[in-house]
Amino acid sequence: RLRGAVAAVEAACVHLGGERQQGPNASVAWQALRDQRHPWFARNAEGRDLWRLSVPQTAPALDLPHDTLIEWHGGQRWVLALPGEGPRLRAVAHAVRGHATLFRSADPAAGGRFDALDAPLARIHRALLNEFDPDAVFDRGRLYPADTLAAH
């Protein structure tokens, strides 16, 4: 997807090649990406975890173990990975000053969806939890493992 001044987009289209989509076709394609109905999300998805890597748009090609869907001008990269590959994906994202999120897991009970919080952020997160949910009504272990946010 290209955007910008008309002349710049036209020049990029000539340089990049590809197939131009107009109007309804383009809208359907972008909605399929947004809603994860694009064929890429179903390809080889059985038994795999869906990871979203958020990285700077200028990040180079990443050394990822599987095919990658790249969008948001390179800033969002989707990977269908085997269970257990999370630490490697997080390391690759961190190396370019990004982060990785386990978006959907083959294991419904999988934890560790988000990068661990460093101590100052964990303290703030814990304080917010205690302020907005003092009786621990909500699932405090859903975003981060409960033991990482235990009150001190």
Side-chain angles (χ1 to χ4, degrees):
R1 184 174 189 179
L2 303 173
R3 67 177 178 182
V6 174
V9 170
E10 292 296 331
C13 287
V14 169
H15 179 71
L16 294 172
E19 187 176 313
R20 187 175 225 163
Q21 293 187 359
Q22 301 282 346
N25 290 339
S27 179
V28 167
W30 288 110
Q31 286 176 2
L33 274 173
R34 180 196 66 200
D35 299 339
Q36 297 175 358
R37 290 181 287 110
H38 186 278
W40 184 91
F41 290 98
R43 189 183 78 216
N44 297 322
E46 186 69 31
R48 294 184 182 252
D49 295 338
L50 177 62
W51 286 85
R52 181 180 62 195
L53 280 62
S54 297
V55 299
Q57 292 178 346
T58 56
L62 302 177
D63 181 23
L64 296 169
H66 307 284
D67 289 340
T68 305
L69 175 74
I70 301 173
E71 60 175 330
W72 287 92
H73 306 283
Q76 183 163 271
R77 304 182 192 197
W78 295 95
V79 180
L80 283 165
L82 296 171
E85 291 182 308
R88 178 175 178 206
L89 294 174
R90 289 188 197 283
V92 167
H94 291 170
V96 294
R97 302 184 53 82
H99 66 274
T101 302
L102 177 56
F103 202 80
R104 188 171 51 239
S105 178
D107 176 8
R113 296 192 180 276
F114 298 96
D115 282 349
L117 297 173
D118 59 18
L121 284 177
R123 191 170 46 255
I124 292 168
H125 192 84
R126 190 170 40 253
L128 287 169
L129 281 175
N130 291 334
E131 188 66 31
F132 289 106
D133 185 24
D135 298 322
V137 174
F138 297 105
D139 182 4
R140 292 188 173 208
R142 185 164 185 222
L143 296 179
Y144 297 100
D147 58 333
T148 63
L149 297 174
H152 291 112

